[in-house]
Amino acid sequence: MDSNSLFYSLELVAGSGNTLNVEKRTALQTSLVILKKNYKFHRVLFWGKILGLKEDYFIAQGRGEDEMKDKKTLYSFNCMDWMLLAPATDSVIEEVSKTAKGSFVGDPSYVYEHVEIHRPGGRDDAIQEEVVTKVNEESRLAVTVHQIDEEASVVPRGAYLKSPHGLVQINRSFGGLSHSEAGKLDNFLHFSKAKNLKKKSILEMGDLNPAIDFLDVLSDDIPKGEDFCTYFK
């Protein structure tokens, strides 16, 4: 949700019960403007809320000149004071996948531990070594936001443009999809680094517009169609 249209966007999702009280809305409306100025973001988005046992995490994202590369994630407990999250590197993602289980606690300093027993000499070796992996909840929060963005961040085709120099920006002339276009999965794209484009044939690539077709389409997701039904039987 763009901070410039936050009130309107929150009303659109209020019908499902996912909304914020007046206090939190007012705090966000003020703090996101300050956040944009302090970090020199081009725009700020309210990403959402992750529930914790003690406290809930409110998430915001700032975007720079490049919508995909110049992205920073921040969290807050009160929608006023924001803390920057470190990027989710491959090593941190691996540590979190091993260690963090269950619900979020709501304390960024909370430490998750995972113990593995290693036998240097093989399975029959009597000598055992304990390998302890530790990760704090702040790292888990960064990984969770990153993975949700990778898997579930979706944009309509044409909403973003990629320049010949690789710069990804909002398409200011995009007016939305028509009713018929909105009914096709081919017109919705994953807003994350493309993984399937290199797998397409030369013939398929010839039908693409490099300025707008630089992301993976949802219709290429696996499982799909009948395969999806079979997968869950």
Side-chain angles (χ1 to χ4, degrees), residues 61-112:
Q61 282 187 342
R63 303 284 175 86
E65 187 177 14
D66 190 303
E67 286 281 327
M68 295 189 72
K69 296 178 182 177
D70 302 332
K71 180 170 67 174
K72 287 183 171 62
T73 303
L74 305 97
Y75 71 93
S76 173
F77 294 114
N78 58 10
C79 295
M80 287 296 294
D81 304 308
W82 296 92
M83 282 71 74
L84 190 64
L85 281 174
T89 61
D90 291 340
S91 60
V92 174
I93 293 173
E94 184 179 356
E95 289 175 355
V96 169
S97 65
K98 286 181 181 179
T99 311
K101 306 292 182 185
S103 302
F104 278 85
V105 176
D107 177 3
S109 62
Y110 180 84
V111 176
Y112 298 88

Side-chain angles (χ1 to χ4, degrees), residues 108-123:
S109 62
Y110 180 84
V111 176
Y112 298 88
E113 290 188 9
H114 175 70
V115 179
E116 289 184 354
I117 306 298
H118 287 184
R119 297 178 186 271
R123 185 182 300 176

Side-chain angles (χ1 to χ4, degrees), residues 116-131:
E116 289 184 354
I117 306 298
H118 287 184
R119 297 178 186 271
R123 185 182 300 176
D124 299 327
D125 192 348
I127 300 176
Q128 297 182 355
E129 292 182 356
E130 284 191 356
V131 179

Side-chain angles (χ1 to χ4, degrees), residues 108-153:
S109 62
Y110 180 84
V111 176
Y112 298 88
E113 290 188 9
H114 175 70
V115 179
E116 289 184 354
I117 306 298
H118 287 184
R119 297 178 186 271
R123 185 182 300 176
D124 299 327
D125 192 348
I127 300 176
Q128 297 182 355
E129 292 182 356
E130 284 191 356
V131 179
V132 181
T133 304
K134 295 183 179 182
V135 66
N136 61 29
E137 187 159 275
E138 188 174 70
S139 297
R140 183 189 182 187
L141 185 65
V143 169
T144 300
V145 173
H146 169 77
Q147 291 184 326
I148 291 175
D149 277 345
E150 285 287 303
E151 299 295 332
S153 182

